[in-house]
Amino acid sequence: MRGFVTDCDCYLSDIVPLHVHVPSEADIFGVHSKLVTGETGMPQPIEQLSWVENYTYEGLVIAIFILFCYLLYNFRGDILQLLRFLAMHTSSEKIYAEQKLFFKRFINLSTLLGILLICGLSVKLCDYFGLDGRLPATGILNVNLIPVILLLIPGIILLYRYLVTGIVGAVTRNQAFFKSYRFMSHLSGSVSFLILTPFFLLFALGDGNSTTFFIYLTITIVAALYLLYLGKSYRFFIERNISILQWILYLCTVEWFPVSLLLLEAMRMD
């Protein structure tokens, strides 16, 4: 008699769990990883660090404040002389003839204040208008290095202006003209930096509606001071019987070219 295998003859043994460690997402992707479900599966934007919330920018603001107070305390007479120059009550030639070593030191320190101020204004305005997030270098560089890099830009521009005017003066054999013009430019820059510093300090570390008001007020004052400088520059050329065309060529080559080049590079990165 043949035997048949039926369902009753099949016996399954009890399932014994295997003690095997199943790797989790923490083992594969790190302890800071987490499981992403369908609801949160969309890629999250990378958090953008603020350019003004770092120790380098805060140290820059403190340096501007200390240097500004030092200039006010030690060079009160020179500041009054600059204000008279701004109001056209005295000429740059007269100041140049009467300048002393003490005044040269004041001009050098006020130029340093201007470099720091331009850097601080650039960082604050980029952060306020959201331009910092459009620059690809932000994700690569540490935000503490941004003020240091921007600090080099006005210094390079000043060096460029000095070299170009020196070369043109040597070619045209008119070094005295450009030397006198550079001195007039330093005077205009020094008094402008001293006027702008209090407004910058008001919104440098602030936030809110008051910051917006002082930012636009500062931009307006910057535009007014630059127009005043252009007027002094125009008079400087005209009083020496130099044509308006040469004045325009000077502005385009020496003053506007490096700034426009920086703006063009910023637009290309955007």
Side-chain angles (χ1 to χ4, degrees):
M1 183 178 180
R2 295 181 180 180
F4 296 92
V5 179
T6 63
D7 294 338
C8 297
D9 297 327
C10 299
Y11 295 98
L12 298 177
S13 60
D14 295 335
I15 299 176
V16 180
L18 299 176
H19 297 283
V20 178
H21 175 69
V22 179
S24 63
E25 66 274 5
D27 298 326
I28 300 175
F29 301 104
V31 294
H32 297 289
S33 62
K34 60 181 179 179
L35 183 63
V36 179
T37 61
E39 298 178 355
T40 60
M42 297 299 294
Q44 301 297 322
I46 300 176
E47 182 180 358
Q48 181 68 40
L49 298 178
S50 175
W51 285 13
V52 298
E53 296 179 357
N54 57 80
Y55 294 114
T56 305
Y57 175 75
E58 294 174 357
L60 177 65
V61 175
I62 294 174
I64 292 174
F65 175 74
I66 294 175
L67 184 56
F68 177 70
C69 294
Y70 178 81
L71 291 175
L72 287 182
Y73 182 77
N74 292 280
F75 301 94
R76 295 184 294 272
D78 297 322
I79 293 175
L80 292 177
Q81 193 173 16
L82 283 182
L83 293 177
R84 287 195 296 268
F85 165 76
L86 183 65
M88 299 182 182
H89 293 163
T90 184
S91 62
S92 60
E93 290 82 2
K94 182 179 180 181
I95 299 177
Y96 183 78
E98 297 176 353
Q99 68 172 327
K100 300 178 181 179
L101 182 61
F102 195 67
F103 187 79
K104 292 181 179 179
R105 182 184 177 190
F106 165 71
I107 292 296
N108 293 332
L109 289 177
S110 60
T111 302
L112 176 60
L113 175 65
I115 294 176
L116 297 177
L117 182 64
I118 292 174
C119 176
L121 281 171
S122 301
V123 173
K124 184 64 178 181
L125 292 178
C126 288
D127 181 81
Y128 179 79
F129 291 107
L131 301 178
D132 53 351
R134 301 179 183 180
L135 299 179
T138 306
I140 302 175
L141 299 174
N142 191 311
V143 291
N144 290 281
L145 297 178
I146 299 299
V148 179
I149 296 175
L150 293 179
L151 193 62
L152 299 176
I153 295 178
I156 294 175
I157 292 177
L158 288 177
L159 180 61
Y160 168 81
R161 293 178 60 180
Y162 180 82
L163 292 177
V164 171
T165 54
I167 294 174
V168 174
V171 172
T172 59
R173 296 181 180 180
N174 200 3
Q175 288 282 14
F177 171 80
F178 286 102
K179 185 177 181 180
S180 180
Y181 185 87
R182 284 197 299 266
F183 183 75
M184 186 276 296
S185 179
H186 282 314
L187 293 180
S188 300
S190 298
V191 67
S192 299
F193 299 145
L194 291 171
I195 293 175
L196 289 174
T197 300
F199 296 96
F200 168 74
L201 294 174
L202 287 174
F203 68 79
L205 299 175
D207 193 9
N209 296 329
S210 60
T211 301
T212 301
F213 171 76
F214 284 114
I215 283 179
Y216 284 100
L217 178 62
T218 303
I219 294 175
T220 304
I221 295 175
V222 168
L225 289 173
Y226 187 71
L227 290 177
L228 185 60
Y229 164 72
L230 289 180
K232 289 183 176 296
S233 176
Y234 173 78
R235 289 184 57 186
F236 190 91
F237 275 75
I238 295 300
E239 290 175 355
R240 289 156 180 80
N241 298 322
I242 298 178
S243 64
I244 300 178
L245 179 60
Q246 292 181 347
W247 174 65
I248 295 176
L249 289 175
Y250 167 80
L251 292 178
C252 294
T253 305
V254 179
E255 298 195 5
W256 295 343
F257 171 72
V259 178
S260 61
L261 184 63
L262 291 174
L263 293 177
L264 179 62
E265 290 296 325
M267 293 174 62
R268 291 177 59 184
M269 287 189 296
D270 189 16

